[in-house]
Amino acid sequence: MRKLLIVCLLAGLPFLLKAQSVKDEVLSDVKKAAGLNYVYDYKADFPVTRAPKGYRPFYISHWGRHGARYQFSYYDSVEVWLGKAAKMNILTQFGEDFRDKLTSFHKEAHYKESDLTGIGKDQHRTIASRMYRNYKDVFKGDTRVWAVATTSPRVMLSMMSFVRALEEKDKTLAATCDASLSYYPFLNPASKSNPAYVNRPRTTRETDKIISDFFNDNVDWKGVYGRFFTDTDAALSLGVKPSKLIESIHFVTGGMQCMDHDRDLFEGSFTPEEEYDIFRYRAMKEAAFLANYSESVSTFYKYSAFAVRHLIETADSDIESGEYNVRLRFCHDSNIMPLLTLLNIDGMGSEIVSLEDAAEVFPLYRIPMGASIQFVFYRSRKNPEILVKVLLNEREASLPFEPVEGPFYSWNAFKEYYGPRMDSLIQNLEADNAK
């Protein structure tokens, strides 16, 4: 009887692991609370399912976010606000220590804001090396790689790190690299450089109030203020809302995992529960205009129809002509997130009715630094049907229609499912632009 019980428990273990909630994941690894600043374990090896009999990989189409970077203006903003608090003599010892550490760190970071770090470069070198190792058949013979990036320096450096790693593995590889606004219709489709872009509000007042109320009701901002300030009422006169101040501090502390050193500099600034509540708040803000939120007035994610159409057209052209073996596109989280939504990869395009559920559908740590969506194509000499597998952050992912086998989907079924949907979205977007 005891043996039977053990067998039953072991049999149910995979289900229990899959059922782990987002909250459990964040509390078990608080670095995930950094959301978009999370640096996933890119050094780890991920399982690769054996392809159906007779099938081999021959082509890869890829979208990648830039790697780990310094933060934007958050260092400066937090330093200014804490500097005002110091002049008001309302910083606790914890607040003074935090300010001293930030001031020291900011001396180095001041001219590197938004720049790629060494970890960011290493992420792309590692991902590229693993792509070469896991799908070596793609790189047999004369391999031609086409790589493009947005004009952001951190994105261009990510692209070059990735391509150079491939070149080190394959000395005969021929790669073309470019960065230009001309690629924005499919690379950065919600940018104003997209000819079909329509300027619309990100959110409504009602949505903003829902998000603001969630922060006030769920994030223990008074507890955080008590950690930094001796007088909470006086701290409210710093000229910044608690939500903005705490969010900015969280960007600074969570973003330290992107650094090449001092990664633990601000460790313990928030409790795990505070980390999770701030993470949920951030997920609500992002999902309100990037995800499939039922009350959204934004069409942001719909612009990714241009990216999906580009994926289909270039893949079909390359498969027929053999012009390229690998297509690499490098961009930003604001491009990866809408693409995940529109393709509904791993259910991330599911409709969000209540924003409080956003973190469960749209967990931001799944769009980490160095995030990637890879489409790996397979063919067989005996079967004319081409198969495609999608990887999210190098892990095999699911699409919202029936696979042929395991994580492998029919390429024709892919086009039949997404093609008409993308054409309709693009027609609507272009019609809106013509008004």
Side-chain angles (χ1 to χ4, degrees):
M1 183 67 181
R2 184 179 178 184
K3 288 183 179 180
L4 178 61
L5 178 60
I6 293 173
V7 170
C8 291
L9 288 172
L10 290 175
L13 185 59
F15 173 79
L16 293 173
L17 292 175
K18 288 181 181 178
Q20 186 181 38
S21 69
V22 169
K23 181 176 182 179
D24 291 337
E25 287 206 40
V26 171
L27 293 181
S28 63
D29 181 4
V30 76
K31 285 184 170 61
K32 289 184 177 180
L36 301 177
N37 287 317
Y38 176 55
V39 179
Y40 75 98
D41 186 8
Y42 66 96
K43 295 288 188 180
D45 268 332
F46 306 106
V48 180
T49 301
R50 184 187 295 273
K53 187 176 181 180
Y55 277 89
R56 293 183 178 277
F58 72 98
Y59 178 77
I60 296 175
S61 192
H62 158 284
W63 265 265
R65 182 192 181 193
H66 60 75
R69 56 155 168 76
Y70 286 85
Q71 291 299 300
F72 294 105
S73 59
Y74 298 107
Y75 308 122
D76 187 59
S77 298
V78 174
E79 190 174 1
V80 167
W81 293 324
L82 295 185
K84 288 182 180 180
K87 289 181 180 179
M88 295 167 63
N89 198 31
I90 60 170
L91 283 179
T92 62
Q93 186 61 54
F94 179 91
E96 289 178 2
D97 291 343
F98 186 98
R99 177 175 177 249
D100 289 343
K101 288 186 287 188
L102 177 60
T103 299
S104 177
F105 174 76
H106 196 198
K107 288 179 181 178
E108 175 206 337
H110 184 66
Y111 295 106
K112 297 182 179 180
E113 290 174 353
S114 83
D115 286 354
L116 200 69
T117 64
I119 288 179
K121 296 172 187 176
D122 188 51
Q123 281 184 293
H124 285 284
R125 286 194 294 262
T126 303
I127 296 168
S129 298
R130 193 155 42 232
M131 174 189 285
Y132 180 86
R133 184 199 69 187
N134 290 344
Y135 306 103
K136 204 163 186 178
D137 284 336
V138 175
F139 300 91
K140 284 184 176 179
D142 297 327
T143 306
R144 292 166 297 280
V145 175
W146 177 89
V148 295
T150 67
T151 55
S152 163
R154 64 184 177 278
V155 179
M156 290 187 285
L157 283 172
S158 295
M159 173 180 67
M160 297 310 300
S161 297
F162 199 107
V163 172
R164 283 177 180 172
L166 289 180
E167 290 175 333
E168 289 173 3
K169 296 291 183 181
D170 185 346
K171 302 301 182 183
T172 65
L173 182 146
T176 62
C177 300
D178 197 15
S180 170
L181 293 175
S182 64
Y183 303 121
Y184 277 39
F186 62 84
L187 191 59
N188 195 0
S191 165
K192 293 182 179 179
S193 299
N194 184 350
Y197 176 82
V198 179
N199 190 17
R200 289 188 173 178
R202 290 161 58 114
T203 57
T204 63
R205 289 183 180 179
E206 292 78 7
T207 296
D208 291 340
K209 186 176 185 306
I210 290 171
I211 297 171
S212 177
D213 288 346
F214 175 87
F215 179 88
N216 292 327
D217 295 340
N218 292 274
V219 177
D220 183 17
W221 66 268
K222 289 183 179 179
V224 177
Y225 264 48
R227 196 171 303 130
F228 281 85
F229 309 112
T230 59
D231 188 333
T232 296
D233 290 335
L236 292 174
S237 67
L238 290 173
V240 56
K241 292 181 179 179
S243 57
K244 181 65 175 178
L245 175 58
I246 290 175
E247 184 180 32
S248 298
I249 293 174
H250 195 255
F251 269 110
V252 170
T253 60
M256 291 305 294
Q257 60 188 283
C258 299
M259 300 298 109
D260 303 321
H261 54 81
D262 290 331
R263 286 192 286 275
D264 299 327
L265 187 63
F266 301 111
E267 191 170 296
S269 296
F270 299 96
T271 67
E273 291 74 17
E274 289 167 351
E275 293 270 11
Y276 173 66
D277 290 333
I278 296 168
F279 166 80
R280 288 185 69 197
Y281 170 69
R282 285 293 311 158
M284 291 173 70
K285 292 184 70 173
E286 298 291 347
F289 76 100
L290 286 176
N292 185 13
Y293 173 46
S294 59
E295 300 300 319
S296 177
V297 294
S298 168
T299 58
F300 204 102
Y301 79 88
K302 295 178 182 178
Y303 286 104
S304 291
F306 291 93
V308 178
R309 183 171 70 178
H310 183 260
L311 162 68
I312 292 173
E313 290 180 347
T314 53
D316 274 347
S317 174
D318 290 338
I319 290 170
E320 182 179 354
S321 67
E323 183 177 6
Y324 292 105
N325 307 80
V326 180
R327 294 255 183 188
L328 304 172
R329 307 162 186 85
F330 295 87
C331 50
H332 306 264
D333 57 352
S334 57
N335 310 130
I336 298 293
M337 295 162 76
L339 190 55
L340 287 172
T341 298
L342 191 59
L343 291 172
N344 197 13
I345 293 175
D346 279 353
M348 293 183 70
S350 300
E351 184 179 40
I352 299 171
V353 177
S354 170
L355 273 182
E356 290 196 11
D357 300 327
E360 289 293 331
V361 176
F362 209 66
L364 297 183
Y365 54 74
R366 300 205 68 190
I367 310 100
M369 295 294 179
S372 64
I373 307 173
Q374 299 177 24
F375 301 88
V376 184
F377 290 72
Y378 293 75
R379 64 185 169 194
S380 168
R381 292 180 180 178
K382 297 182 178 180
N383 192 330
E385 183 175 37
I386 290 175
L387 303 181
V388 63
K389 177 178 72 173
V390 62
L391 307 173
L392 173 57
N393 304 328
E394 305 179 86
R395 294 180 182 271
E396 294 169 348
S398 65
L399 296 173
F401 58 93
E402 195 69 25
V404 172
E405 177 183 320
F408 301 94
Y409 295 81
S410 162
W411 176 234
N412 283 332
F414 185 103
K415 292 185 289 183
E416 290 170 3
Y417 183 87
Y418 291 112
R421 289 171 169 80
M422 300 308 108
D423 291 342
S424 177
L425 283 174
I426 290 171
Q427 289 174 7
N428 291 337
L429 289 169
E430 290 176 340
D432 285 346
N433 193 37
K435 292 179 181 178

